[in-house]
Amino acid sequence: MRHLFFGGVEPPHKKDMSLASREMHTITPQQVVIPLLQHIGTPCQALVHVGDDVRAGEKIGDAEGLCVPVHASVSGRVIAIEPRPHTSGREVMAVVIRSSDAASSALQTHPPLEDDADSDEVLGGIREAGVVGMGGAAFPGDAKALSAMGKIDTLIANGCECEPYITADDMLLRTHPEQVLQGLQILQRLLQPQRTVLAIEDNKAAAIERVRSCCTGFPQIELAVLPTRYPQGSEKQLIQALTGREVPAGKLPAAAHCAVFNVSTCAAVFRAVRLGQPLTHRIVTVSGESVSQPQNFWVPIGTTFRDLLHAAGADSSIRRVISGGAMMGRAQSSLDVPVVKATNAVLCLPHDSNCAEEDGTCIRCGKCVGVCPMHLQPLYLYRYEKLRKAEQLQRLNLFDCIECGSCSYICPAKLPLVERFRAGKQMLKERGTS
């Protein structure tokens, strides 16, 4: 069978679990924990103090440089500003708000922009709303758009959502496709590409039908239905699938004259520009074999995993809680970590189906090489990382690894490949050789 990009794997989808409920459910936590760092770049500085009363949508943190603000997701009183557990595994300064209005929602914080707004106004609106990439990278949305202006001919909305279990983007496309298309249209006017595409994998029939019915009102947007294969949702693989171009090693998509935005990001752009609403809520999939009611929730940023699991009916069989997907997500050691802007899923598993074994032995079968979508040699990267050989890791282009987990998934020895590659990247950064 011919694939649209090299490598990749086909893990079980397991998406029907959270789609049994066709509606999004809301959570109204009594308290939210809002980290002041939810994006790549400079952490925010708190703009509020303990004891302050805040309203939903109010800016509570900001800074200069590569940074976007964070906003209160509920109305209430600030009860703490202190380090709290974060999904990255670190502790991050956070603003803790006790809700005084369980039904509070994001308020308009700046005037909506009209169609004739200039580029600076649109970029400013995106920034002030705190929009970041919501597919995982959390790069500031205004900075990403600015870096692509005048450099691209193809704009892509990424609705592939290729990870097992996760259906947050699928649910968005089923329920609010017009928000995605209008947000993509805003980016289209900003970036002026020759081609604009919304890409969805073919295992999302209901979403495809809804988007196709809405696309008649957006004749300049092309719907591309792609065969399902992991990790097609990775922007470099998606670019290759849609255009045949390869992003050069160490380069960004603009080097291939493309820009890729997650569909949830597109919807957030629409709400920021057309409604004047900041990014205070998002869709989160809660799923896994240890959840009695897998479903999608519309939740305030800062809702703790504990509250999410309680709402989804997590049971006593849980042995592992993962932020994100089964392939690329991170296992959590605390249920007190909060939902952040890039949190698309929380998985509750009775065991790790691909449990890594640190003392396993590589049998040099080469399967990891055959599935690596970046044409890397994971078996040698693993060996040199264990030996702390920085020069060899650089020579083998460790930083080109997208940490998709295809190698770990296929490895018969269950070696902790991705974990070691992350450690190797950190070693290189500390040595100043990245």
Side-chain angles (χ1 to χ4, degrees), residues 5 13 16 117 133 174 197 202 205 211 237 291 335 347 370 387 430:
F5 60 90
H13 298 165
D16 290 344
R174 292 177 183 219
V197 188
D202 61 9
V211 172
Q237 280 61 51
V291 176
L335 294 182
L347 301 187
L387 295 173
E430 291 173 355

Side-chain angles (χ1 to χ4, degrees), residues 25-93:
H25 299 262
T26 59
I27 290 182
T28 52
Q30 296 181 346
Q31 177 177 295
V32 294
V33 180
I34 304 178
L36 291 171
L37 181 60
Q38 300 186 49
H39 55 269
I40 291 175
T42 305
C44 291
Q45 299 297 314
L47 302 178
V48 293
H49 301 89
V50 174
D52 287 353
D53 291 323
V54 296
R55 299 192 68 184
E58 180 180 337
K59 188 191 295 187
I60 59 174
D62 202 355
E64 297 182 352
L66 184 62
C67 179
V68 294
V70 293
H71 303 78
S73 58
V74 298
S75 297
R77 176 161 294 179
V78 177
I79 61 172
I81 302 174
E82 61 190 17
R84 288 294 184 101
H86 188 272
T87 53
S88 64
R90 301 179 294 161
E91 287 200 338
V92 172
M93 288 297 294

Side-chain angles (χ1 to χ4, degrees), residues 92-408:
V92 172
M93 288 297 294
V95 177
V96 184
I97 303 172
R98 178 180 294 127
S99 176
S100 61
D101 178 6
S104 63
S105 59
L107 302 178
Q108 178 175 309
T109 59
H110 56 80
L113 299 176
E114 301 298 332
D115 288 348
D116 59 356
D118 62 32
S119 298
D120 288 342
E121 290 177 307
V122 173
L123 289 171
I126 292 172
R127 185 203 180 275
E128 284 303 302
V131 177
V132 302
M134 297 173 71
F139 197 84
D142 64 309
K144 184 171 184 176
L146 180 62
S147 68
M149 291 178 68
K151 300 177 182 178
I152 70 165
D153 58 30
T154 303
L155 171 62
I156 301 168
N158 184 355
C160 289
E161 198 168 50
C162 56
E163 276 258 18
Y165 294 99
I166 306 178
T167 58
D169 289 343
D170 190 342
M171 180 60 72
L172 172 64
L173 291 168
R174 292 177 183 219
T175 56
H176 296 292
E178 70 286 345
Q179 290 191 8
V180 175
L181 290 166
Q182 290 184 63
L184 182 56
Q185 189 176 62
I186 292 168
L187 293 170
Q188 182 184 47
R189 290 172 179 165
L190 187 65
L191 302 180
Q192 296 293 308
Q194 298 173 18
R195 181 190 181 199
T196 302
V197 188
L198 197 167
I200 310 177
E201 288 192 329
D202 61 9
N203 63 348
K204 301 172 180 63
I208 292 168
E209 182 179 354
R210 287 283 285 124
V211 172
R212 184 170 281 132
S213 67
C214 288
C215 274
T216 55
F218 301 87
Q220 294 182 319
I221 296 177
E222 168 192 344
L223 173 62
V225 179
L226 301 173
T228 299
R229 187 164 179 81
Y230 182 86
Q232 192 156 232
S234 174
E235 60 183 12
K236 292 185 178 181
Q237 280 61 51
L238 183 56
I239 287 170
Q240 187 173 1
L242 289 171
T243 69
R245 306 170 190 168
E246 291 193 36
V247 179
K251 300 293 185 180
L252 297 174
H257 308 293
C258 294
V260 182
F261 292 84
N262 177 265
V263 291
S264 291
T265 308
C266 292
V269 167
F270 161 75
R271 293 192 295 270
V273 175
R274 291 288 177 261
L275 304 180
Q277 292 181 350
L279 177 52
T280 60
H281 290 62
R282 70 154 298 141
I283 303 173
V284 180
T285 301
V286 183
S287 189
E289 285 75 13
S290 293
V291 176
S292 61
Q293 303 172 60
Q295 57 194 290
N296 285 285
F297 293 95
W298 177 249
V299 302
I301 301 297
T303 302
T304 65
F305 283 20
R306 191 179 303 279
D307 287 338
L308 273 172
L309 269 56
H310 177 74
D315 60 42
S316 59
S317 69
I318 295 179
R319 293 294 179 269
R320 180 163 296 221
V321 174
I322 298 175
S323 174
M327 300 293 288
M328 295 186 70
R330 290 179 180 266
Q332 301 298 303
S333 59
S334 170
L335 294 182
D336 294 323
V337 297
V339 169
V340 294
K341 295 177 183 180
T343 305
N344 58 357
V346 179
L347 301 187
C348 304
L349 305 177
H351 57 84
D352 187 348
S353 59
N354 195 39
C355 185
E357 299 181 8
E358 188 65 59
D359 59 350
T361 301
C362 175
I363 61 174
R364 298 189 182 185
C365 64
K367 289 184 177 180
C368 59
V369 178
V371 300
C372 177
M374 298 304 295
H375 301 276
L376 302 179
Q377 300 181 59
L379 70 169
Y380 292 113
L381 289 171
Y382 177 73
R383 177 187 302 177
Y384 289 133
E385 193 285 326
K386 290 189 72 174
L387 295 173
R388 311 292 285 177
K389 298 287 188 179
E391 182 179 345
Q392 285 86 345
L393 291 174
Q394 281 186 288
R395 179 172 56 82
L396 292 173
N397 300 315
L398 174 60
F399 280 100
D400 280 349
C401 170
I402 60 174
E403 302 177 17
C404 68
S406 294
C407 56
S408 296

